[in-house]
Amino acid sequence: MIALQKFELLQAAVSLLYPPVCTICGRTIRANEYLCGQCETKVTRIVAPFCQKCSEPFEGSITGAFSCANCAHRTIYFDAAVAAYRGRGIVRQIVHEFKYGRQLHLRHLVACWLRAALDDERLCGLRFDVIVPVPLHPTRQRERGFNQAGLLGELLSTQTSIPAKPVLERIRYTTTQTALDRSERMENLHNAFRLRKNADVRGLQVLLVDDVLTTGSTLNECARILKRAGAFSVHAATAARA
Ligand SMILES: [Zn+2]
Ligand SMILES: [Zn+2]
């Protein structure tokens, strides 16, 4: 974190010399913003109708609560997984640059999107005892230099005063999930996580956080471990939904 602070000091110094510009198009913007007004309009919120369990948007007109076919055909351990934004276009690009391009300052923008998920009616009335980031395998974390979910969890913790605790650890180095279908993902993730030694989630209302929700398999596996360890409830929030 020391390196990160130095980096931000350097950035602050640089922004005195150069005015801030939109991350996407390079137009001049106000300080402490990341996107210009025009790019901001291309960041799309997920709007109803969507699956009550996993937030998968549904094209067409359905009124009232419903679950998608994927949720109907698997055991869901989380109470709800909420994403506020579509992980397309600009959102996808920003998350990608944050995660793989080492553009760590973008975590503030991604954390704003994550924070927006808490306004969803499935989460906004709830009280959470702990924020739990989805863990990376130690080898992957060394390669990347940070855990994006961990950084987002810390920012969310500062904003909400809910403590963030990395109670889960990833014990299997899994290959990338991208090329796998849903059942292969589940198989690939089985026993990939466990509760850290001396961690105790018994009776707690847990908010699990990650950057992106894709099929929900990772969140579901984490939720399974947390529930098995005695968590009272597990809700998940992500910045975007692929
Ligand atoms: Zn722009
Ligand atoms: Zn669903």
Side-chain angles (χ1 to χ4, degrees), residues 50-56 66-72 74 76 78 182 215 241:
F50 50 75
C51 171
Q52 284 299 300
K53 275 279 176 191
C54 76
S55 304
E56 175 151 333
F66 77 102
S67 289
C68 72
N70 292 318
C71 288
R74 59 178 173 171
I76 304 291
F78 50 73
R182 200 171 297 267
T215 63
R241 194 187 201 295

Side-chain angles (χ1 to χ4, degrees), residues 13-186:
V14 167
S15 67
L16 290 176
L17 299 170
Y18 303 97
V21 294
C22 173
T23 310
I24 299 295
C25 71
R27 276 194 197 91
T28 306
I29 51 172
R30 277 188 305 229
N32 302 320
E33 287 187 353
Y34 292 89
L35 298 175
C36 70
Q38 206 159 341
C39 289
E40 190 73 56
T41 63
K42 295 179 196 152
V43 172
T44 35
R45 277 303 280 253
I46 292 176
V47 290
F50 50 75
C51 171
Q52 284 299 300
K53 275 279 176 191
C54 76
S55 304
E56 175 151 333
F58 189 84
E59 311 292 337
S61 53
I62 289 186
T63 46
F66 77 102
S67 289
C68 72
N70 292 318
C71 288
H73 293 112
R74 59 178 173 171
T75 311
I76 304 291
Y77 296 94
F78 50 73
D79 295 83
V82 177
Y85 291 92
R86 290 280 188 119
R88 298 173 175 170
I90 285 174
V91 173
R92 187 188 158 94
Q93 194 179 332
I94 296 273
V95 170
H96 200 271
E97 282 175 22
F98 161 49
K99 218 159 127 178
Y100 304 112
R102 305 191 57 84
Q103 299 293 308
L104 281 176
H105 64 106
L106 292 176
R107 73 188 189 283
H108 296 286
L109 176 55
V110 180
C112 284
W113 295 337
L114 173 62
R115 177 74 184 75
L118 298 192
D119 297 334
D120 185 280
E121 60 180 18
R122 290 165 292 170
L123 301 182
C124 66
L126 302 176
R127 184 185 60 81
F128 295 106
D129 299 304
V130 65
I131 293 171
V132 174
V134 170
L136 285 182
H137 189 273
T139 309
R140 170 100 14 110
Q141 185 155 343
R142 261 196 308 280
E143 286 164 3
R144 192 170 294 169
F146 59 94
N147 173 11
Q148 72 281 357
L151 294 182
L152 296 174
E154 282 165 23
L155 289 175
L156 193 63
S157 172
T158 310
Q159 291 168 6
T160 59
S161 303
I162 303 164
K165 289 185 190 154
V167 299
L168 292 175
E169 61 184 343
R170 196 158 187 148
I171 49 174
R172 273 182 49 207
Y173 188 89
T174 49
T175 48
T176 176
Q177 298 268 95
T178 324
L180 306 179
D181 71 20
R182 200 171 297 267
S183 63
E184 288 168 333
R185 279 173 193 243
M186 291 294 272

